[in-house]
Amino acid sequence: MKKFKKFYIETTSVCNLACTFCPPTKRQANFLKIEDFKTTLRQIKPYTDYIYFHVKGEPLLHPKMDEMLDIAHEQGFKVNITTNGTLINKNKHKLLGKPALRQMNFSLHSFDGHEGSTDRNGYITSVIHFVKEAVAQSNIIISFRLWNLNEDNMTNAQRNRNRETLEYIEREFDLDFRIEEKVTPGSGVKIADRIYLNQDYEFKWPDLKEEEDHSPGFCHGLRNQAGVLVDGTVIPCCLDGEGVINLGNIHQESFADIIDGERASNIVEGFSRREVTEELCRKCGYRKRFDLTTDPLQVVSTHA
């Protein structure tokens, strides 16, 4: 039986921001129903121990986040949440003290990615206050993400804004070094016990409108990860935010049958031969991160 390191469950397709790096979904606005969540957990239980509340949408918008964390704990799952962090003050009472919550990823680049953002210090302060409280109360892992680097045309203004964010973190955690001196794109630096910061280049979602690349490739989709959108559509990875590679619907057929189906099997077997069978995958730049001169099965994806 396949065992996934990550299983993405989209709790909502709705977001409270409109970031330039994240194309808005064309799918219907929706929130995951509790009964559908329970059904999904029952079906994926043999396949994973770790669920990620993340694909599109902002998970902290879900009004029953605390209930979902309790259900996940009852079913033996550990939960990872990726959030823009803007709603953390309103929702911290739903998160603190929840034993299922393993890790929270804060996409700090969302602040500058959203044109209407104001009060950078207030935003970062609220996130850091939550982080300190959560780390003091539990074994939670925190990842600050600043994924807005650009190799070619990053402006001085953007560099200065990043520096402001990093300076605030350096002061709050009494660091004796500048973060840029320790971190390289795609890697992380330890800020404090169980608190890390990761900087990387701006992420680009795969799109069917992009030029197709027929070169050999490899991906961990359906090998160490899979996901399900808020409407039940099963997808091979967290980058298929529109459900282009629709493997089936978890509310209409069993997850076991879906991942053992012809389309899913072709994807996995194709990548084993370094062949890219799906059009969306041929238009996804992320697979180029895997060095084909080494054994790709030994490479661990950093995207979560």
Side-chain angles (χ1 to χ4, degrees):
M1 180 179 293
K2 297 178 181 178
K3 197 76 171 180
F4 299 112
K5 294 179 181 178
K6 306 173 183 179
F7 193 93
Y8 295 90
I9 299 178
E10 185 183 64
T11 58
T12 179
S13 57
V14 179
C15 190
N16 62 319
L17 300 184
C19 296
T20 55
F21 57 82
C22 186
T25 181
K26 300 180 179 67
R27 296 180 284 121
Q28 181 180 357
N30 205 351
F31 287 84
L32 184 61
K33 298 179 178 62
I34 290 297
E35 285 307 313
D36 289 343
F37 179 60
K38 290 179 179 178
T39 298
T40 297
L41 293 188
R42 284 195 296 269
Q43 292 205 45
I44 69 172
K45 178 61 179 173
Y47 298 92
T48 192
D49 299 316
Y50 299 97
I51 55 177
Y52 289 65
F53 290 163
H54 175 57
V55 179
K56 286 290 187 75
E58 167 52 52
L60 296 189
L61 279 173
H62 200 292
K64 297 185 177 179
M65 175 58 62
D66 49 350
E67 187 174 347
M68 288 194 293
L69 287 170
D70 289 338
I71 294 169
H73 178 62
E74 292 168 2
Q75 297 298 320
F77 290 96
K78 288 295 184 181
V79 178
N80 301 262
I81 297 177
T82 297
T83 173
N84 59 46
T86 58
L87 303 174
I88 196 65
N89 277 342
K90 295 180 180 180
N91 288 276
K92 69 177 185 177
H93 66 285
K94 298 181 180 181
L95 303 170
L96 293 173
K98 296 298 184 183
L101 188 55
R102 171 185 175 270
Q103 178 169 333
M104 287 200 68
N105 306 312
F106 289 94
S107 299
L108 301 183
H109 49 280
S110 300
F111 184 88
D112 289 323
H114 178 70
E115 292 185 0
S117 295
T118 58
D119 189 12
R120 179 191 304 275
N121 282 352
Y123 164 69
I124 300 175
T125 297
S126 63
V127 170
I128 289 179
H129 283 183
F130 168 82
V131 165
K132 290 183 174 180
E133 189 172 358
V135 169
Q137 293 182 12
S138 67
N139 293 321
I140 192 172
I141 299 168
I142 300 294
S143 174
F144 295 130
R145 294 176 171 180
L146 205 53
W147 290 0
N148 61 359
L149 302 182
N150 189 308
E151 292 180 283
D152 301 320
N153 57 4
M154 190 175 184
T155 65
N156 287 331
Q158 181 60 59
R159 289 191 182 93
N160 291 336
R161 288 194 292 268
N162 278 0
R163 179 91 287 273
E164 289 177 17
T165 298
L166 296 177
E167 283 178 352
Y168 198 97
I169 293 172
E170 289 162 2
R171 289 195 302 269
E172 284 291 317
F173 292 96
D174 196 25
L175 301 185
D176 59 359
F177 60 88
R178 286 167 64 99
I179 291 172
E180 296 103 313
E181 298 172 353
K182 301 287 186 179
V183 67
T184 56
S187 67
V189 60
K190 186 174 182 178
I191 301 298
D193 185 33
R194 289 175 282 117
I195 303 175
Y196 303 88
L197 184 138
N198 179 279
Q199 279 196 281
D200 209 339
Y201 296 107
E202 182 173 312
F203 178 74
K204 188 174 184 179
W205 288 84
D207 192 320
L208 289 177
K209 296 178 182 178
E210 295 294 324
E211 185 177 348
E212 203 158 332
D213 180 357
H214 291 276
S215 62
F218 180 84
C219 182
H220 289 282
L222 292 179
R223 195 178 298 272
N224 73 5
Q225 65 169 276
V228 59
L229 299 179
V230 67
D231 65 353
T233 299
V234 176
I235 53 177
C237 74
C238 62
L239 305 187
D240 187 5
E242 292 302 292
V244 173
I245 307 175
N246 184 343
L247 301 175
N249 192 292
I250 203 168
H251 304 310
Q252 298 170 3
E253 55 184 314
S254 73
F255 180 70
D257 288 342
I258 291 172
I259 61 167
D260 286 335
E262 182 178 3
R263 190 173 188 181
S265 297
N266 287 341
I267 292 172
V268 175
E269 293 168 6
F271 279 130
S272 295
R273 300 188 301 269
R274 310 303 191 268
E275 295 176 4
V276 187
T277 62
E278 291 284 343
E279 180 184 1
L280 186 68
C281 300
R282 292 193 293 271
K283 298 181 177 182
C284 177
Y286 196 77
R287 64 182 176 85
K288 296 178 182 178
R289 297 191 180 200
F290 303 113
D291 183 359
L292 296 183
T293 64
T294 61
D295 181 359
L297 299 185
Q298 301 302 316
V299 179
V300 178
S301 169
T302 60
H303 183 70

